[in-house]
Amino acid sequence: MSTRWTPKTQMGRELAEAPAVVAKQLDHNKAAIDALVSDLRANPPKFVVTCGRGSSDHATLYAKYLIESQLGIPVVSAAPSIVSIYNRSIASKDALFIAVSQSGKSPDLVKNAVAARDAGARTVALVNVTDSPLADTVDHVIPLIAGPETSVAATKSYIATLSAIAQIVGGWTQDPAFNKALVTLPASLEKALGKDWLDAADAIAKSDGLYVIGRGPAFAIAQEAALKFKETSGLHAEAFSAAEVKHGPMALVTKDFPLLVFSQQDASRESVEGFLEEMRAKTDNLFAAETGHADVKGHLPVVEDIHPLLAPIAMIQTFYTLAEHVALERGCNPDAPPHLSKVTETH
């Protein structure tokens, strides 16, 4: 399918680089991934601790769903301030500690990695800048290889993080179907750039706010999408699991209230389909990214021939094209949002 989208900003140009970034990752990171997963397979951790902020934290939620669903190992998200502000060490002996950061410079992440290492955890950093304090601290460095990203809104680096996580899990599980699908992920991302979601732009751009919904791995990209609407469009968006949104948040849903829903073709699909059926009676602005249902109002086309665990990566690639369009329609500059800088160093 052709698309009306063409890059109009630095954010757009950078997100269009994501397929090439992932292809380069797959080519260059094999030795680093093999070394890590060899260690993990020989000595499986009792649990996994993740650490990141903003988009990086959303990527670690993707890791949680993949690791827990495919390996049955519990994954918890660290509160970085426990170490950096409250000076309390966490009992992480025999854990795998994964820190995610584009710059690798944030002091709180570095302190947490040091504390985890000293407590007896194996430590891993997913970083775009490999000569960084965080990279110097850990046992294993997995480069994101996203290259320079000057737009404040992270796009290709986020996709690169999801791809790196998928490569770790693929090596760890040695699942043939998943690893075969990983090889074709760059091609899937190219297809994702050709999907047209711009019909959703007008209703979202004119709204005062919206919900972004996902379940399973797609909940991770729902969180990222909500953040991107805030960053690039000054639009208040909240992310919810399809299993949770029907409680208190539904009180805000009116006929004009937009809902953006991500649905991959896995065990969560049936419950999300039920949610969509219910929501179509509540709002006229329901937009669903899912396979099939091309004739349904609000349908957003997705890459069909993709492994369900990788489908969210392709969906967020297409979403970024929508986010750029919404930002411009609202008169915003997605490359330089107010009050934000590219690198935030949190203590």
Side-chain angles (χ1 to χ4, degrees):
M1 172 182 281
S2 62
T3 178
R4 291 168 285 165
W5 178 82
T6 55
K8 297 178 176 63
T9 64
Q10 183 63 9
M11 171 187 166
R13 289 184 285 273
E14 288 174 351
L15 71 90
E17 296 172 9
V21 166
V22 172
K24 190 174 181 180
Q25 260 191 352
L26 289 165
D27 185 47
H28 284 70
N29 277 0
K30 187 176 187 307
I33 297 287
D34 285 350
L36 171 59
V37 300
S38 177
D39 183 14
L40 296 175
R41 288 179 62 81
N43 300 287
K46 292 182 178 178
F47 61 101
V48 178
V49 179
T50 62
C51 194
R53 292 196 182 275
S55 294
S56 296
D57 187 45
H58 302 155
T60 68
L61 182 59
Y62 178 72
K64 175 181 176 69
Y65 278 106
L66 262 60
I67 293 169
E68 291 188 347
S69 68
Q70 303 306 299
L71 290 149
I73 298 173
V75 180
V76 297
S77 176
S81 62
I82 298 300
V83 172
S84 65
I85 298 296
Y86 294 100
N87 297 311
R88 180 72 181 184
S89 295
I90 300 298
S92 48
K93 181 176 172 58
D94 299 325
L96 172 65
F97 178 90
I98 303 175
V100 180
S101 172
Q102 293 175 53
S103 68
K105 292 171 62 177
S106 192
D108 58 347
L109 297 189
V110 175
K111 287 179 182 178
N112 274 262
V114 170
R117 182 195 63 197
D118 291 348
R122 276 166 289 176
T123 54
V124 181
L126 276 57
V127 290
N128 200 34
V129 181
T130 53
D131 57 343
S132 61
L134 181 60
D136 291 342
T137 297
V138 298
D139 302 315
H140 296 272
V141 177
I142 307 300
L144 298 181
I145 317 181
E149 187 177 56
T150 58
S151 175
V152 168
T155 53
K156 63 176 178 174
S157 63
Y158 178 75
I159 290 172
T161 305
L162 299 185
S163 169
I165 289 166
Q167 290 169 56
I168 292 169
V169 173
W172 197 349
T173 62
Q174 296 192 348
D175 181 319
F178 185 67
N179 285 309
K180 183 179 179 181
L182 269 172
V183 174
T184 61
L185 182 57
S188 296
L189 293 176
E190 286 286 359
K191 291 179 183 178
L193 283 172
K195 301 301 179 182
D196 191 338
W197 289 11
L198 300 191
D199 283 343
D202 190 55
I204 292 174
K206 291 178 179 177
S207 72
D208 295 322
L210 74 155
Y211 290 158
V212 189
I213 311 298
R215 194 162 191 190
F219 183 36
I221 65 164
Q223 289 190 334
E224 168 66 5
L227 175 63
K228 283 297 176 288
F229 278 134
K230 295 183 184 83
E231 284 182 332
T232 62
S233 297
L235 181 60
H236 186 74
E238 290 190 76
F240 290 99
S241 163
E244 297 293 336
V245 71
K246 290 193 292 183
H247 299 290
M250 288 309 300
L252 295 184
V253 176
T254 64
K255 275 292 184 182
D256 296 323
F257 192 86
L259 299 176
L260 173 61
V261 183
F262 299 110
S263 178
Q264 70 275 334
Q265 190 78 306
D266 68 0
S268 70
R269 180 64 183 268
E270 184 177 352
S271 67
V272 177
E273 284 288 302
F275 171 79
L276 288 169
E277 184 176 350
E278 184 177 341
M279 291 306 105
R280 288 189 176 101
K282 297 182 183 298
T283 176
D284 293 329
N285 289 324
L286 176 65
F287 302 100
E290 58 178 345
T291 58
H293 301 291
D295 57 340
V296 175
K297 180 185 176 183
H299 172 73
L300 302 177
V302 299
V303 177
E304 300 267 347
D305 53 337
I306 188 171
H307 193 287
L309 294 178
L310 300 178
I313 307 180
M315 285 191 281
I316 199 67
Q317 172 82 84
T318 311
F319 164 78
Y320 286 140
T321 68
L322 171 64
E324 183 200 43
H325 194 81
V326 169
L328 295 175
E329 194 168 327
R330 287 173 63 88
C332 301
N333 178 3
D335 295 332
H339 315 302
L340 298 177
S341 61
K342 185 61 182 173
V343 178
T344 302
E345 296 188 16
T346 311
H347 294 272

